[in-house]
Short mmCIF file of all heavy atoms in Angstrom, two decimals:
data_model
loop_
_atom_site.label_atom_id
_atom_site.label_comp_id
_atom_site.label_asym_id
_atom_site.label_seq_id
_atom_site.Cartn_x
_atom_site.Cartn_y
_atom_site.Cartn_z
N ILE Z 4 -102.09 53.76 16.22
CA ILE Z 4 -100.65 53.73 15.99
C ILE Z 4 -100.30 52.74 14.88
O ILE Z 4 -99.48 53.05 14.00
CB ILE Z 4 -99.90 53.35 17.30
CG1 ILE Z 4 -100.23 54.35 18.42
CG2 ILE Z 4 -98.41 53.28 17.06
CD1 ILE Z 4 -99.87 55.76 18.15
N ILE Z 8 -98.06 53.86 11.49
CA ILE Z 8 -96.65 53.46 11.30
C ILE Z 8 -96.31 53.24 9.83
O ILE Z 8 -95.30 53.78 9.35
CB ILE Z 8 -96.30 52.26 12.19
CG1 ILE Z 8 -96.21 52.71 13.65
CG2 ILE Z 8 -94.99 51.61 11.75
CD1 ILE Z 8 -96.00 51.60 14.65
N GLY Z 41 -77.54 74.21 -8.36
CA GLY Z 41 -77.62 75.19 -9.44
C GLY Z 41 -76.93 74.74 -10.71
O GLY Z 41 -77.17 75.30 -11.78
N GLU Z 42 -76.09 73.73 -10.60
CA GLU Z 42 -75.36 73.23 -11.76
C GLU Z 42 -75.89 71.87 -12.25
O GLU Z 42 -75.30 71.27 -13.14
CB GLU Z 42 -73.87 73.12 -11.44
CG GLU Z 42 -73.24 74.47 -11.15
CD GLU Z 42 -71.77 74.37 -10.79
OE1 GLU Z 42 -71.14 73.33 -11.06
OE2 GLU Z 42 -71.25 75.35 -10.22
N LEU Z 54 -89.18 63.15 -6.87
CA LEU Z 54 -89.02 62.51 -5.56
C LEU Z 54 -89.49 63.43 -4.44
O LEU Z 54 -90.03 62.97 -3.43
CB LEU Z 54 -87.57 62.09 -5.34
CG LEU Z 54 -87.12 60.88 -6.14
CD1 LEU Z 54 -85.67 60.55 -5.84
CD2 LEU Z 54 -88.00 59.68 -5.88
N LEU Z 55 -89.31 64.72 -4.61
CA LEU Z 55 -89.80 65.68 -3.62
C LEU Z 55 -91.32 65.63 -3.53
O LEU Z 55 -91.90 65.64 -2.44
CB LEU Z 55 -89.33 67.09 -3.97
CG LEU Z 55 -89.73 68.21 -3.03
CD1 LEU Z 55 -89.19 67.96 -1.62
CD2 LEU Z 55 -89.25 69.55 -3.56
N GLU Z 60 -96.27 64.06 -0.74
CA GLU Z 60 -97.56 63.36 -0.74
C GLU Z 60 -97.65 62.35 0.39
O GLU Z 60 -98.68 62.23 1.06
CB GLU Z 60 -97.78 62.67 -2.08
CG GLU Z 60 -98.05 63.64 -3.22
CD GLU Z 60 -97.97 62.98 -4.58
OE1 GLU Z 60 -97.72 61.75 -4.67
OE2 GLU Z 60 -98.14 63.71 -5.59
N ALA Z 67 -102.45 63.75 7.54
CA ALA Z 67 -103.91 63.73 7.43
C ALA Z 67 -104.49 62.64 8.33
O ALA Z 67 -105.49 62.86 9.03
CB ALA Z 67 -104.33 63.50 5.98
N ALA Z 68 -103.86 61.47 8.32
CA ALA Z 68 -104.33 60.38 9.19
C ALA Z 68 -104.09 60.72 10.65
O ALA Z 68 -104.91 60.41 11.52
CB ALA Z 68 -103.62 59.08 8.82
N ARG Z 75 -103.20 63.55 19.19
CA ARG Z 75 -102.30 63.73 18.04
C ARG Z 75 -100.84 63.76 18.47
O ARG Z 75 -100.00 63.09 17.86
CB ARG Z 75 -102.67 65.01 17.30
CG ARG Z 75 -101.81 65.20 16.08
CD ARG Z 75 -102.19 66.41 15.28
NE ARG Z 75 -101.26 66.52 14.16
CZ ARG Z 75 -101.25 67.50 13.31
NH1 ARG Z 75 -102.13 68.47 13.42
NH2 ARG Z 75 -100.38 67.52 12.33
N LEU Z 76 -100.50 64.52 19.49
CA LEU Z 76 -99.12 64.63 19.92
C LEU Z 76 -98.59 63.29 20.41
O LEU Z 76 -97.49 62.87 20.05
CB LEU Z 76 -98.97 65.71 21.00
CG LEU Z 76 -97.56 65.98 21.49
CD1 LEU Z 76 -96.67 66.43 20.34
CD2 LEU Z 76 -97.58 67.03 22.58
N HIS Z 87 -88.36 55.60 13.81
CA HIS Z 87 -86.99 56.14 13.78
C HIS Z 87 -86.09 55.62 14.89
O HIS Z 87 -84.86 55.69 14.76
CB HIS Z 87 -87.04 57.67 13.82
CG HIS Z 87 -87.82 58.25 12.69
ND1 HIS Z 87 -87.37 58.25 11.39
CD2 HIS Z 87 -89.05 58.82 12.66
CE1 HIS Z 87 -88.28 58.82 10.61
NE2 HIS Z 87 -89.31 59.16 11.35
N GLU Z 90 -87.32 49.78 19.26
CA GLU Z 90 -86.73 48.99 20.34
C GLU Z 90 -86.06 47.77 19.72
O GLU Z 90 -86.59 47.18 18.77
CB GLU Z 90 -87.83 48.53 21.32
CG GLU Z 90 -88.53 49.67 22.02
CD GLU Z 90 -87.66 50.34 23.07
OE1 GLU Z 90 -86.83 49.65 23.69
OE2 GLU Z 90 -87.80 51.56 23.25
N PRO Z 91 -84.89 47.37 20.24
CA PRO Z 91 -84.28 46.14 19.72
C PRO Z 91 -85.20 44.95 19.98
O PRO Z 91 -85.86 44.87 21.01
CB PRO Z 91 -82.97 46.01 20.51
CG PRO Z 91 -82.86 47.21 21.37
CD PRO Z 91 -84.13 47.99 21.29
N ALA Z 92 -85.23 44.04 19.03
CA ALA Z 92 -86.07 42.85 19.18
C ALA Z 92 -85.53 41.99 20.31
O ALA Z 92 -84.32 41.85 20.48
CB ALA Z 92 -86.08 42.05 17.88
N ALA Z 93 -86.44 41.45 21.08
CA ALA Z 93 -86.05 40.57 22.19
C ALA Z 93 -85.47 39.28 21.61
O ALA Z 93 -86.00 38.72 20.65
CB ALA Z 93 -87.23 40.25 23.07
#
Side-chain angles (χ1 to χ4, degrees):
I4 302 300
I8 288 175
E42 296 178 17
L54 287 181
L55 181 60
E60 289 168 1
R75 182 177 178 185
L76 183 59
H87 302 288
E90 297 288 327

